[in-house]
Amino acid sequence: MRLLIVEDETLVALSLKMELENLGHIVCDTIASGENAIKFMQSQTADVILMDISLSGTMDGIQAAAHIRKLSDTPVIFMTGYANKANDDDVVKLDPVGFLIKPISLRKLQYLLDSILE
Protein backbone atom coordinates (compact mmCIF):
# COMPACT_ATOMS: atom_id res chain seq x y z
CA MET A 1 0.00 0.00 0.00
CA ARG A 2 1.35 3.44 -0.97
CA LEU A 3 1.06 5.92 1.89
CA LEU A 4 1.55 9.68 2.06
CA ILE A 5 2.50 10.99 5.50
CA VAL A 6 1.59 14.64 6.14
CA GLU A 7 3.26 15.51 9.45
CA ASP A 8 5.22 18.64 10.38
CA GLU A 9 7.24 17.06 13.20
CA THR A 10 10.22 15.56 11.37
CA LEU A 11 11.07 12.93 13.98
CA VAL A 12 7.45 11.75 14.17
CA ALA A 13 7.22 11.55 10.37
CA LEU A 14 10.50 9.64 10.00
CA SER A 15 9.64 7.24 12.82
CA LEU A 16 6.22 6.55 11.35
CA LYS A 17 7.75 6.09 7.89
CA MET A 18 10.28 3.57 9.21
CA GLU A 19 7.66 1.62 11.16
CA LEU A 20 5.26 1.49 8.19
CA GLU A 21 8.00 0.38 5.81
CA ASN A 22 8.94 -2.36 8.27
CA LEU A 23 5.32 -3.54 8.01
CA GLY A 24 5.71 -3.76 4.22
CA HIS A 25 4.08 -0.50 3.15
CA ILE A 26 5.55 1.99 0.69
CA VAL A 27 5.77 5.56 1.98
CA CYS A 28 5.81 7.71 -1.14
CA ASP A 29 6.68 10.89 0.75
CA THR A 30 6.62 12.71 4.05
CA ILE A 31 5.33 16.27 3.77
CA ALA A 32 5.19 18.99 6.44
CA SER A 33 2.52 21.37 5.08
CA GLY A 34 -0.99 21.18 3.77
CA GLU A 35 -0.05 23.25 0.74
CA ASN A 36 2.65 20.76 -0.27
CA ALA A 37 0.31 17.83 0.35
CA ILE A 38 -2.14 19.35 -2.12
CA LYS A 39 0.65 19.87 -4.67
CA PHE A 40 1.74 16.25 -4.22
CA MET A 41 -1.78 14.94 -4.81
CA GLN A 42 -2.15 17.11 -7.93
CA SER A 43 0.77 15.34 -9.59
CA GLN A 44 1.05 11.94 -7.88
CA THR A 45 -1.08 9.40 -6.09
CA ALA A 46 -1.19 7.57 -2.80
CA ASP A 47 -3.53 4.83 -1.63
CA VAL A 48 -3.98 6.43 1.80
CA ILE A 49 -3.06 9.77 3.37
CA LEU A 50 -2.00 9.92 7.02
CA MET A 51 -2.80 13.55 7.85
CA ASP A 52 -1.77 15.40 10.99
CA ILE A 53 -4.23 18.12 11.96
CA SER A 54 -1.65 20.66 13.08
CA LEU A 55 0.77 21.43 10.23
CA SER A 56 3.32 24.04 9.27
CA GLY A 57 2.18 26.56 6.70
CA THR A 58 -1.04 28.52 6.46
CA MET A 59 -3.52 25.66 6.46
CA ASP A 60 -4.16 22.85 8.87
CA GLY A 61 -4.66 19.21 7.98
CA ILE A 62 -8.44 19.52 7.95
CA GLN A 63 -8.29 22.32 5.37
CA ALA A 64 -5.71 20.41 3.32
CA ALA A 65 -7.84 17.25 3.37
CA ALA A 66 -10.88 19.25 2.21
CA HIS A 67 -8.89 20.55 -0.78
CA ILE A 68 -7.51 17.09 -1.55
CA ARG A 69 -11.03 15.62 -1.35
CA LYS A 70 -11.93 17.84 -4.35
CA LEU A 71 -9.06 16.28 -6.34
CA SER A 72 -9.26 12.69 -5.24
CA ASP A 73 -11.25 10.17 -3.21
CA THR A 74 -8.04 8.96 -1.51
CA PRO A 75 -8.88 7.77 2.01
CA VAL A 76 -7.59 9.96 4.85
CA ILE A 77 -6.62 8.90 8.35
CA PHE A 78 -6.28 11.90 10.64
CA MET A 79 -3.68 12.03 13.40
CA THR A 80 -3.42 14.53 16.23
CA GLY A 81 -1.62 15.04 19.49
CA TYR A 82 -4.80 16.38 21.03
CA ALA A 83 -8.49 16.10 20.35
CA ASN A 84 -11.08 18.78 20.78
CA LYS A 85 -14.76 19.15 19.91
CA ALA A 86 -14.18 21.69 17.10
CA ASN A 87 -11.65 19.44 15.35
CA ASP A 88 -13.87 16.39 15.82
CA ASP A 89 -16.82 18.12 14.15
CA ASP A 90 -14.72 19.35 11.21
CA VAL A 91 -13.05 15.97 10.74
CA VAL A 92 -16.36 14.08 10.71
CA LYS A 93 -17.59 16.26 7.83
CA LEU A 94 -14.75 14.90 5.68
CA ASP A 95 -15.73 11.28 6.32
CA PRO A 96 -12.25 10.02 7.20
CA VAL A 97 -11.33 6.36 7.44
CA GLY A 98 -10.05 6.97 10.95
CA PHE A 99 -8.87 9.38 13.60
CA LEU A 100 -5.84 8.45 15.71
CA ILE A 101 -4.48 10.18 18.80
CA LYS A 102 -0.68 10.41 19.10
CA PRO A 103 1.38 8.58 19.99
CA ILE A 104 0.07 6.42 17.17
CA SER A 105 -0.71 2.80 17.96
CA LEU A 106 0.71 0.81 15.06
CA ARG A 107 -1.78 -1.95 15.79
CA LYS A 108 -4.72 0.46 15.39
CA LEU A 109 -3.18 2.03 12.30
CA GLN A 110 -2.60 -1.38 10.70
CA TYR A 111 -6.21 -2.32 11.49
CA LEU A 112 -7.40 0.80 9.64
CA LEU A 113 -5.11 0.10 6.69
CA ASP A 114 -6.34 -3.51 6.52
CA SER A 115 -9.95 -2.32 6.54
CA ILE A 116 -9.20 -0.09 3.54
CA LEU A 117 -7.78 -3.06 1.63
CA GLU A 118 -10.96 -5.04 2.24
Side-chain angles (χ1 to χ4, degrees):
M1 181 173 290
R2 291 177 39 86
L3 307 171
L4 172 63
I5 298 172
V6 185
E7 166 64 63
D8 64 334
E9 293 183 42
T10 305
L11 292 177
V12 173
L14 292 176
S15 174
L16 191 55
K17 178 182 189 285
M18 183 180 66
E19 291 169 343
L20 288 166
E21 288 176 342
N22 285 341
L23 292 172
H25 298 289
I26 298 167
V27 176
C28 23
D29 207 345
T30 58
I31 296 176
S33 73
E35 295 86 354
N36 287 337
I38 293 167
K39 288 178 187 173
F40 177 93
M41 291 301 292
Q42 288 172 331
S43 63
Q44 299 181 51
T45 61
D47 297 319
V48 177
I49 301 170
L50 303 177
M51 179 76 73
D52 189 17
I53 290 180
S54 177
L55 298 171
S56 61
T58 59
M59 68 174 51
D60 64 22
I62 297 169
Q63 294 165 321
H67 278 86
I68 290 169
R69 182 70 69 185
K70 295 174 188 173
L71 303 170
S72 165
D73 61 352
T74 302
V76 175
I77 297 172
F78 283 102
M79 309 178 293
T80 188
Y82 59 92
N84 65 45
K85 179 74 170 124
N87 282 349
D88 291 351
D89 292 344
D90 291 338
V91 165
V92 168
K93 292 176 190 173
L94 294 172
D95 192 29
V97 173
F99 186 86
L100 298 171
I101 304 295
K102 295 178 189 175
I104 301 298
S105 160
L106 280 181
R107 194 179 93 235
K108 289 179 184 176
L109 177 54
Q110 186 60 53
Y111 174 80
L112 290 172
L113 295 174
D114 288 345
S115 71
I116 292 168
L117 284 175
E118 293 174 2

